[in-house]
PDB file of all heavy atoms in Angstrom:
ATOM      1  N   ARG A  67     -12.457  -0.195  11.790  1.00 96.00           N
ATOM      2  CA  ARG A  67     -11.483   0.236  12.792  1.00 96.00           C
ATOM      3  C   ARG A  67     -12.149   1.321  13.636  1.00 96.00           C
ATOM      4  O   ARG A  67     -12.876   2.155  13.122  1.00 96.00           O
ATOM      5  CB  ARG A  67     -10.235   0.803  12.125  1.00 96.00           C
ATOM      6  CG  ARG A  67      -9.484  -0.229  11.304  1.00 96.00           C
ATOM      7  CD  ARG A  67      -8.283   0.371  10.615  1.00 96.00           C
ATOM      8  NE  ARG A  67      -7.207   0.608  11.589  1.00 96.00           N
ATOM      9  CZ  ARG A  67      -6.066   1.193  11.278  1.00 96.00           C
ATOM     10  NH1 ARG A  67      -5.849   1.638  10.045  1.00 96.00           N
ATOM     11  NH2 ARG A  67      -5.133   1.375  12.186  1.00 96.00           N
ATOM     12  N   ASN A  68     -11.875   1.289  14.922  1.00 96.00           N
ATOM     13  CA  ASN A  68     -12.403   2.312  15.819  1.00 96.00           C
ATOM     14  C   ASN A  68     -11.679   3.629  15.535  1.00 96.00           C
ATOM     15  O   ASN A  68     -10.456   3.710  15.696  1.00 96.00           O
ATOM     16  CB  ASN A  68     -12.180   1.877  17.261  1.00 96.00           C
ATOM     17  CG  ASN A  68     -12.750   2.856  18.260  1.00 96.00           C
ATOM     18  OD1 ASN A  68     -13.273   3.907  17.912  1.00 96.00           O
ATOM     19  ND2 ASN A  68     -12.634   2.509  19.528  1.00 96.00           N
ATOM     20  N   PRO A  69     -12.384   4.688  15.113  1.00 97.00           N
ATOM     21  CA  PRO A  69     -11.693   5.931  14.769  1.00 97.00           C
ATOM     22  C   PRO A  69     -11.235   6.750  15.970  1.00 97.00           C
ATOM     23  O   PRO A  69     -10.328   7.579  15.852  1.00 97.00           O
ATOM     24  CB  PRO A  69     -12.746   6.707  13.972  1.00 97.00           C
ATOM     25  CG  PRO A  69     -14.051   6.196  14.467  1.00 97.00           C
ATOM     26  CD  PRO A  69     -13.820   4.753  14.815  1.00 97.00           C
ATOM     27  N   TRP A  70     -11.817   6.518  17.155  1.00 97.00           N
ATOM     28  CA  TRP A  70     -11.600   7.418  18.282  1.00 97.00           C
ATOM     29  C   TRP A  70     -10.184   7.404  18.846  1.00 97.00           C
ATOM     30  O   TRP A  70      -9.684   8.462  19.260  1.00 97.00           O
ATOM     31  CB  TRP A  70     -12.673   7.212  19.325  1.00 97.00           C
ATOM     32  CG  TRP A  70     -14.001   7.477  18.681  1.00 97.00           C
ATOM     33  CD1 TRP A  70     -14.987   6.579  18.412  1.00 97.00           C
ATOM     34  CD2 TRP A  70     -14.428   8.719  18.104  1.00 97.00           C
ATOM     35  NE1 TRP A  70     -16.009   7.189  17.728  1.00 97.00           N
ATOM     36  CE2 TRP A  70     -15.695   8.501  17.522  1.00 97.00           C
ATOM     37  CE3 TRP A  70     -13.868   9.989  18.012  1.00 97.00           C
ATOM     38  CZ2 TRP A  70     -16.402   9.504  16.874  1.00 97.00           C
ATOM     39  CZ3 TRP A  70     -14.573  10.992  17.370  1.00 97.00           C
ATOM     40  CH2 TRP A  70     -15.825  10.740  16.819  1.00 97.00           C
ATOM     41  N   PRO A  71      -9.455   6.294  18.847  1.00 96.00           N
ATOM     42  CA  PRO A  71      -8.044   6.381  19.269  1.00 96.00           C
ATOM     43  C   PRO A  71      -7.227   7.295  18.342  1.00 96.00           C
ATOM     44  O   PRO A  71      -6.343   8.025  18.791  1.00 96.00           O
ATOM     45  CB  PRO A  71      -7.543   4.941  19.196  1.00 96.00           C
ATOM     46  CG  PRO A  71      -8.769   4.105  19.323  1.00 96.00           C
ATOM     47  CD  PRO A  71      -9.865   4.901  18.674  1.00 96.00           C
ATOM     48  N   TRP A  72      -7.554   7.282  17.057  1.00 96.00           N
ATOM     49  CA  TRP A  72      -6.827   8.093  16.082  1.00 96.00           C
ATOM     50  C   TRP A  72      -7.225   9.560  16.205  1.00 96.00           C
ATOM     51  O   TRP A  72      -6.395  10.449  16.029  1.00 96.00           O
ATOM     52  CB  TRP A  72      -7.075   7.562  14.670  1.00 96.00           C
ATOM     53  CG  TRP A  72      -6.863   6.080  14.617  1.00 96.00           C
ATOM     54  CD1 TRP A  72      -7.823   5.119  14.465  1.00 96.00           C
ATOM     55  CD2 TRP A  72      -5.634   5.394  14.799  1.00 96.00           C
ATOM     56  NE1 TRP A  72      -7.248   3.878  14.529  1.00 96.00           N
ATOM     57  CE2 TRP A  72      -5.907   4.011  14.733  1.00 96.00           C
ATOM     58  CE3 TRP A  72      -4.320   5.802  15.015  1.00 96.00           C
ATOM     59  CZ2 TRP A  72      -4.917   3.045  14.867  1.00 96.00           C
ATOM     60  CZ3 TRP A  72      -3.336   4.838  15.150  1.00 96.00           C
ATOM     61  CH2 TRP A  72      -3.647   3.478  15.074  1.00 96.00           C
ATOM     62  N   VAL A  73      -8.490   9.807  16.530  1.00 97.00           N
ATOM     63  CA  VAL A  73      -8.940  11.186  16.765  1.00 97.00           C
ATOM     64  C   VAL A  73      -8.229  11.745  17.992  1.00 97.00           C
ATOM     65  O   VAL A  73      -7.690  12.858  17.963  1.00 97.00           O
ATOM     66  CB  VAL A  73     -10.477  11.242  16.941  1.00 97.00           C
ATOM     67  CG1 VAL A  73     -10.929  12.619  17.403  1.00 97.00           C
ATOM     68  CG2 VAL A  73     -11.179  10.849  15.644  1.00 97.00           C
ATOM     69  N   LEU A  74      -8.202  10.971  19.075  1.00 97.00           N
ATOM     70  CA  LEU A  74      -7.537  11.408  20.295  1.00 97.00           C
ATOM     71  C   LEU A  74      -6.040  11.630  20.051  1.00 97.00           C
ATOM     72  O   LEU A  74      -5.475  12.639  20.490  1.00 97.00           O
ATOM     73  CB  LEU A  74      -7.754  10.387  21.417  1.00 97.00           C
ATOM     74  CG  LEU A  74      -7.184  10.755  22.778  1.00 97.00           C
ATOM     75  CD1 LEU A  74      -7.815  12.049  23.298  1.00 97.00           C
ATOM     76  CD2 LEU A  74      -7.420   9.621  23.763  1.00 97.00           C
ATOM     77  N   ALA A  75      -5.403  10.709  19.338  1.00 96.00           N
ATOM     78  CA  ALA A  75      -3.977  10.863  19.020  1.00 96.00           C
ATOM     79  C   ALA A  75      -3.741  12.129  18.200  1.00 96.00           C
ATOM     80  O   ALA A  75      -2.748  12.837  18.411  1.00 96.00           O
ATOM     81  CB  ALA A  75      -3.469   9.637  18.273  1.00 96.00           C
ATOM     82  N   THR A  76      -4.644  12.431  17.288  1.00 96.00           N
ATOM     83  CA  THR A  76      -4.510  13.639  16.459  1.00 96.00           C
ATOM     84  C   THR A  76      -4.660  14.888  17.309  1.00 96.00           C
ATOM     85  O   THR A  76      -3.884  15.843  17.159  1.00 96.00           O
ATOM     86  CB  THR A  76      -5.547  13.621  15.319  1.00 96.00           C
ATOM     87  OG1 THR A  76      -5.351  12.435  14.536  1.00 96.00           O
ATOM     88  CG2 THR A  76      -5.413  14.841  14.439  1.00 96.00           C
ATOM     89  N   ILE A  77      -5.612  14.893  18.219  1.00 95.00           N
ATOM     90  CA  ILE A  77      -5.815  16.053  19.082  1.00 95.00           C
ATOM     91  C   ILE A  77      -4.606  16.277  19.991  1.00 95.00           C
ATOM     92  O   ILE A  77      -4.159  17.403  20.175  1.00 95.00           O
ATOM     93  CB  ILE A  77      -7.110  15.896  19.908  1.00 95.00           C
ATOM     94  CG1 ILE A  77      -8.328  15.991  18.982  1.00 95.00           C
ATOM     95  CG2 ILE A  77      -7.195  16.934  21.022  1.00 95.00           C
ATOM     96  CD1 ILE A  77      -9.642  15.564  19.620  1.00 95.00           C
TER      97      ILE A  77
END
Side-chain angles (χ1 to χ4, degrees):
R67 296 178 74 184
N68 182 357
W70 301 112
W72 311 109
V73 171
L74 184 61
T76 302
I77 291 168

